[in-house]
Amino acid sequence: MKKHSSKTTALLNAPYALWSAVFIIVPLFFVAYYSFFRDGSFTLEYIGKFTEKNNLSAFWLSVVLSVLATVISLVIAYPFSYFLSRLTPSSQKIQMVLIMLPMWMNMLVRTYSWSNILETNGIVNKILSLFGIAPLTMLGSKGAVVLGMVYNYLPYMILPIYTAMTKIDKPLLDAADDLGCTPWEKLKRVIMPLSVPGVISGIIMVFVPSISTFYISQRMSNGNIVLIGDVIETQIKEYYADGGLNVGAAMSFVLMVIILICTFIMNKFSDEDNGGMVV
């Protein structure tokens, strides 16, 4: 019976294993190959391109803006997720539909719409003109790029935190009230510790796509701000025949390693506090 159960489990896991091999392992192999090999010979030339001044500047700017977008998303999502988790089940369903509704549209369309809203002749400046305020230059700034990141990835912060919040039993909160906890003490001693896995998952889910994004920065900054994702795209699109594919793959590989290290550290932090992996 046990052997039959093992075969059944393996059979059920086969589609996932095949999916992982075709769409995860194989692409990663090619990324690693193009990063370290040229004409079949091992080389570190392409990896070294990451340390060039312009590329490092683009990387650190990506880190700064991604961290800022992640922090803003967390500040917005945490209280929203808590109040959402305290609503009635029917109200929660309605709110979740409203949260996910923009995600049904392509990210390119959403970002392009925001660029139209913030442009000189956009809706925001037209409203300001009604009050006699001169048009503001919003596109082309780092703030516009961060806004694009927050808008596109905020649901990825809300969902895991909301899920963690819904698992907090109401009797625990009632017990904290009965024991004389103030709202701040209840937040600090009950709600925050129990929601840490959701917070860490949300941080990873927002930070990872933010640091590797390229279209948001291009559209929201009119090409004035160059992030590491833009560098990778430029290398592959414009210098493909001159080794751009290898350079882009190498930068992607280094970025992937950095992201994996950050994810590992965050998971270790979660393990120590809650006893379980997040991602």
Side-chain angles (χ1 to χ4, degrees), residues 53 86 126 162 176:
K53 183 178 179 181
R86 299 300 105 184
K126 286 182 178 179
Y162 161 74

Side-chain angles (χ1 to χ4, degrees), residues 187-198:
L187 175 66
K188 180 181 178 182
R189 298 185 178 185
V190 180
I191 298 173
M192 291 181 68
L194 294 177
S195 63
V196 166

Side-chain angles (χ1 to χ4, degrees), residues 194-230:
L194 294 177
S195 63
V196 166
V199 170
I200 294 179
S201 293
I203 290 174
I204 294 173
M205 292 175 69
V206 172
F207 178 76
V208 170
S210 295
I211 196 174
S212 57
T213 188
F214 58 92
Y215 182 77
I216 293 176
S217 57
Q218 293 173 6
R219 191 65 204 173
M220 300 299 286
S221 73
N222 289 328
N224 295 327
I225 295 176
V226 178
L227 303 183
I228 190 65
D230 301 312

Side-chain angles (χ1 to χ4, degrees), residues 88-140:
T88 61
S90 59
S91 297
Q92 290 183 27
K93 292 179 181 178
I94 295 173
Q95 293 294 328
M96 289 306 298
V97 170
L98 294 176
I99 292 170
M100 297 305 299
L101 190 61
M103 307 299 292
W104 296 352
M105 294 183 293
N106 187 278
M107 186 188 75
L108 304 182
V109 176
R110 299 197 306 268
T111 306
Y112 191 87
S113 299
W114 263 108
S115 68
N116 288 336
I117 292 172
L118 298 179
E119 67 181 2
T120 305
N121 297 320
I123 297 174
V124 174
N125 277 320
K126 286 182 178 179
I127 294 175
L128 293 177
S129 66
L130 297 176
F131 299 93
I133 301 176
L136 301 177
T137 302
M138 290 172 281
L139 287 182

Side-chain angles (χ1 to χ4, degrees), residues 10-46:
L11 185 62
L12 291 174
N13 289 334
Y16 174 75
L18 179 62
W19 174 276
S20 299
V22 174
F23 295 101
I24 298 177
I25 298 176
V26 173
L28 289 179
F29 169 79
F30 280 108
V31 169
Y33 177 81
Y34 284 115
S35 299
F36 292 101
F37 287 89
R38 178 177 60 189
D39 298 329
S41 301
F42 180 82
T43 178
L44 294 176
E45 175 187 353
Y46 302 121

Side-chain angles (χ1 to χ4, degrees), residues 1-13:
M1 176 68 83
K2 187 174 181 181
K3 183 180 291 185
H4 177 72
S5 177
S6 300
K7 290 182 178 179
T8 302
T9 302
L11 185 62
L12 291 174
N13 289 334

Side-chain angles (χ1 to χ4, degrees), residues 10 33 51 66 87 94 98-99 102 107 152 186 278:
Y33 177 81
T51 61
S66 300
L87 296 176
I94 295 173
L98 294 176
I99 292 170
M107 186 188 75
N152 280 288
K186 183 167 64 174
V278 177

